[in-house]
Amino acid sequence: NAGVTQTPKFRILKIGQSMTLQCAQDMNHNYMYWYRQDPGMGLKLIYYSVGAGITDKGEVPNGYNVSRSTTEDFPLRLELAAPSQTSVYFCASSGRARDEQFFGPGTRLTVL
Amino acid sequence: AQSVTQLGSHVSVSEGALVLLRCNYSSSVPPYLFWYVQYPNQGLQLLLKYTSAATLVKGINGFEAEFKKSETSFHLTKPSAHMSDAAEYFCAVTSTNTGNQFYFGTGTSLTVIP
């Protein structure tokens, strides 16, 4: 049981490039979340999903897109990378609303 | 609107001393409250959670927290700090009217002095 996995662990992008951060969970959880963590700012919710085919915006969705075609996978897409998107990105999942979230190890992204 | 305030971005305690990390929440409806711990270069792990049952909640590694509605607080304590407790701690809140969203505090970095 791998829990929540994220790839890649690290990535450096140039301004304007695009990339997809991958997230997968093997716990059959319906709820999945993407957060970004910036120093001194805690975690901010980017997007979340309550099941396959259903996604919704969080606090800071601008510049990002998501899709949820399967229960297991919840990729996060950056279309035109900007320096403001330099951050650590965490994916999380939970079995029910308002229940414990299980976090992946994170992806450290730098945009130069 | 939901929010969480963690007082003190950095807390230092001596090994064996009491650990007290503060969390105050804002919620117009009964909240669900969580404490998570983050070790360097890792994701967050759940320490404990309050979901409207007992107001004193016990978690892993000897931590506990008490929900005080009158003070809108959910402070995290541990009677005796251990070197391995050095980490970043986050308080989070959600409720039935947040649309499945969790709101995290800005975190408290705990240093344990030998």
Side-chain angles (χ1 to χ4, degrees):
Chain A
N1 192 344
V4 179
T5 58
Q6 292 182 239
T7 56
K9 284 186 169 55
F10 304 94
R11 184 73 185 268
I12 297 175
L13 283 182
K14 294 182 179 179
I15 294 172
Q17 287 185 320
S18 62
M19 77 164 293
T20 299
L21 282 65
Q22 301 291 345
C23 174
Q25 53 90 11
D26 61 0
M27 297 174 281
N28 201 33
H29 284 169
N30 284 323
Y31 296 82
M32 295 189 74
Y33 307 81
W34 273 107
Y35 294 92
R36 59 177 289 171
Q37 183 180 30
D38 301 301
M41 298 295 291
L43 278 75
K44 298 293 185 183
L45 182 65
I46 305 171
Y47 271 95
Y48 66 97
S49 169
V50 301
I54 307 170
T55 62
D56 208 345
K57 296 178 180 179
E59 290 182 85
V60 291
N62 292 343
Y64 307 95
N65 278 300
V66 294
S67 59
R68 184 95 181 272
S69 57
T70 67
T71 298
E72 293 77 20
D73 300 297
F74 190 41
L76 178 71
R77 179 84 176 162
L78 284 70
E79 292 293 349
L80 291 170
S84 61
Q85 294 177 306
T86 294
S87 188
V88 181
Y89 292 84
F90 288 100
C91 180
S93 73
S94 66
R96 297 175 297 176
R98 297 175 292 282
D99 205 356
E100 172 190 0
Q101 295 187 9
F102 293 84
F103 284 80
T107 294
R108 187 174 296 273
L109 176 67
T110 302
V111 183
L112 300 173
Chain B
Q2 308 276 312
S3 67
V4 165
T5 302
Q6 291 185 241
L7 292 175
S9 57
H10 298 276
V11 171
S12 293
V13 300
S14 297
E15 190 175 16
L18 172 72
V19 176
L20 171 61
L21 304 182
R22 299 178 186 275
C23 173
N24 288 89
Y25 69 90
S26 172
S27 177
S28 58
V29 298
Y32 295 72
L33 294 158
F34 301 77
W35 274 101
Y36 285 87
V37 61
Q38 184 181 32
Y39 298 103
N41 300 314
Q42 294 186 27
L44 280 69
Q45 305 171 35
L46 182 72
L47 273 179
L48 49 81
K49 62 182 179 182
Y50 167 76
T51 57
S52 77
T55 56
L56 182 62
V57 181
K58 294 187 184 298
I60 62 171
N61 301 337
F63 284 94
E64 62 182 38
E66 186 172 8
F67 172 70
K68 291 187 177 180
K69 183 178 178 181
S70 61
E71 298 177 9
T72 60
S73 69
F74 190 57
H75 301 331
L76 182 70
T77 61
K78 182 175 180 177
S80 176
H82 191 273
M83 296 298 294
S84 60
D85 294 328
E88 188 91 15
Y89 292 81
F90 293 94
C91 184
V93 65
T94 187
S95 72
T96 55
N97 71 347
T98 62
N100 300 303
Q101 296 195 35
F102 279 62
Y103 295 89
F104 284 81
T106 52
T108 297
S109 177
L110 177 66
T111 300
V112 181
I113 303 166

